Amino acid sequence: PDDRSVKAAVELLSGAKNPAIIVEDGVTKCEALDEVVQFTKQIGARVYQPWMSDVNFPVHHPQYIGDMDPNSLATRDIIEAADVLVVIGSMFFQQAIYLPKPLVPSTTKVIQIDNNPWQIVKNLPIACGVEGDIKVALSDLSEALTDALTPSARSSVATRVKTISQEKQAMVDAF
């Protein structure tokens, strides 16, 4: 990936208050599972994957919340809660039905990471595209974030991770 796109992504992520991640098949195809798990911990994000996709993230991980249906307003609610949404190795929603509101609200800043340039910004608008091998892109992002995150930002990440883990445990207990 080029340095400008990594820098733009780091700027968005270092100020994120409630980031979320969507993973799909590109993670597995690029053998980037370890990198996506590390990246998830580093930014303190909830992780989702589109309904009916292969498993591309450890489902027992405390930050993995579950599947989302791109044809559902419930998915819009999830995305709307995120200030920064990182889409990794995904076609980023090819909607099959009409929704009365846009699936991704304009207030959510989207970072799309993919090894296929055709997929970046193909279906929905984004704030930043990172093109390149997903494994390498996530490693580059993690390295840049290590340098960019302030002690205050790291504290916020730790608090988010704890909160997300508690939410996940409550979901498991309720099941």
Side-chain angles (χ1 to χ4, degrees):
D2 81 86
D3 292 340
R4 289 177 299 170
S5 63
V6 170
K7 182 179 178 184
V10 166
E11 287 176 14
L12 289 169
L13 290 166
S14 61
K17 303 292 183 220
N18 190 29
I21 296 174
I22 297 173
V23 295
E24 203 170 354
D25 299 345
V27 171
T28 302
K29 289 176 185 172
C30 289
E31 299 179 356
L33 183 60
D34 291 342
E35 289 76 12
V36 80
V37 169
Q38 170 60 32
F39 178 70
T40 297
K41 292 176 186 176
Q42 191 174 24
I43 67 170
R46 288 170 179 78
V47 180
Y48 304 89
Q49 65 180 0
W51 178 70
M52 297 293 290
S53 73
D54 293 334
V55 176
N56 295 287
F57 196 85
V59 295
H60 296 298
H61 190 280
Q63 288 171 256
Y64 178 76
I65 304 302
D67 294 351
M68 57 174 44
D69 179 355
N71 298 306
S72 167
L73 285 177
T75 294
R76 185 188 194 284
D77 294 342
I78 291 168
I79 293 172
E80 187 173 38
D83 59 340
V84 178
L85 176 66
V86 184
V87 181
I88 305 173
S90 172
M91 291 186 285
F92 194 29
F93 302 156
Q94 294 175 323
Q95 287 179 250
I97 64 169
Y98 168 77
L99 294 176
K101 294 180 180 179
L103 189 58
V104 179
S106 62
T107 55
T108 302
K109 304 299 178 212
V110 178
I111 300 168
Q112 189 170 6
I113 302 168
D114 209 296
N115 63 324
N116 183 349
W118 173 253
Q119 295 301 337
I120 296 175
V121 83
K122 181 174 100 176
N123 295 323
L124 296 167
I126 63 171
C128 174
V130 179
E131 178 195 343
D133 182 272
I134 293 168
K135 184 180 187 99
V136 173
L138 289 172
S139 294
D140 289 356
L141 272 172
S142 288
E143 184 178 322
L145 279 166
T146 297
D147 296 335
L149 291 176
T150 65
S152 174
R154 291 176 200 278
S155 176
S156 294
V157 166
T159 300
R160 282 195 304 268
V161 169
K162 182 177 178 181
T163 300
I164 295 165
S165 298
Q166 290 169 343
E167 290 172 6
K168 169 80 179 247
Q169 188 57 52
M171 288 170 38
V172 170
D173 292 344
F175 184 68

